[in-house]
Amino acid sequence: MNRFGHLVVGGFVSGLFLLLNAFLFRIAFSLIDYLLLLGVWFVYSQLPDIDQKGSHIHGLVLVALVFLGAYSFIWKSVLLGSLCIIGILFLTLVHHRTIVHTVVFGVLLSSFLGYFSLWLSVLGFVLYLSHLIADGELTIWQW
């Protein structure tokens, strides 16, 4: 499936998430929450394709890592700079539809959203899974 298809599927999943919240959980969302939801929808519905060299999300993540790396150099943050270097190396060395197209990797990447809130983390994981299911590549782990 292409980027547009994954965004449509992710938009449908995000809409269902909002409907479930409105009728079952009734969590009050602020404007910032909705903006974060849009960002999570855009990134996590495409995120399993970061290992595909020509994909849109691959380029966005590489640019973000380069800018964060430059930022870490300016502010002398060794940890952030090291993580950026590891991320860039990972993106250049990993092959398409290997470790990134697994449920375990989706859990790992969506757990970072737990820093903001649990519901964003759950939504990120569900969007990641929707991408894997749409691709027909739902596997727990592979290298």
Side-chain angles (χ1 to χ4, degrees), residues 7 11 25 43 60 64 74 86 89 106 138:
L7 287 172
F25 306 118
V43 172
L60 287 176
I74 292 168
I86 290 169
L89 286 173
L138 187 62

Side-chain angles (χ1 to χ4, degrees), residues 57-69:
I57 195 73
H58 178 82
L60 287 176
V61 170
L62 272 179
V63 167
L65 287 172
V66 168
F67 276 112
L68 280 174

Side-chain angles (χ1 to χ4, degrees), residues 13 25 73-74 85 89 91 139:
V13 169
F25 306 118
F73 179 74
I74 292 168
I85 290 170
L89 286 173
L91 288 179
T139 55

Side-chain angles (χ1 to χ4, degrees), residues 47-130:
L47 202 53
D49 284 338
I50 60 170
D51 57 356
Q52 190 174 12
K53 305 296 186 255
S55 71
H56 187 254
I57 195 73
H58 178 82
L60 287 176
V61 170
L62 272 179
V63 167
L65 287 172
V66 168
F67 276 112
L68 280 174
Y71 172 81
S72 71
F73 179 74
I74 292 168
W75 293 102
K76 297 179 177 73
S77 174
V78 176
L79 177 63
L80 182 60
S82 301
L83 290 174
C84 289
I85 290 170
I86 290 169
I88 290 169
L89 286 173
F90 177 80
L91 288 179
T92 55
L93 295 176
V94 72
H95 297 288
H96 187 52
R97 294 200 175 168
T98 54
I99 188 173
V100 177
H101 263 77
T102 63
V103 173
V104 172
F105 205 75
V107 168
L108 177 71
L109 290 179
S110 61
S111 66
F112 292 116
L113 291 173
Y115 175 78
F116 298 104
S117 73
L118 178 62
W119 70 266
L120 270 180
S121 184
V122 170
L123 178 63
F125 180 66
V126 170
L127 287 168
Y128 199 93
L129 279 180
S130 73

Side-chain angles (χ1 to χ4, degrees), residues 5-25:
H6 286 301
L7 287 172
V8 168
V9 170
F12 179 74
V13 169
S14 297
L16 286 177
F17 177 80
L18 288 173
L19 284 174
L20 277 173
N21 175 58
F23 293 110
L24 294 178
F25 306 118

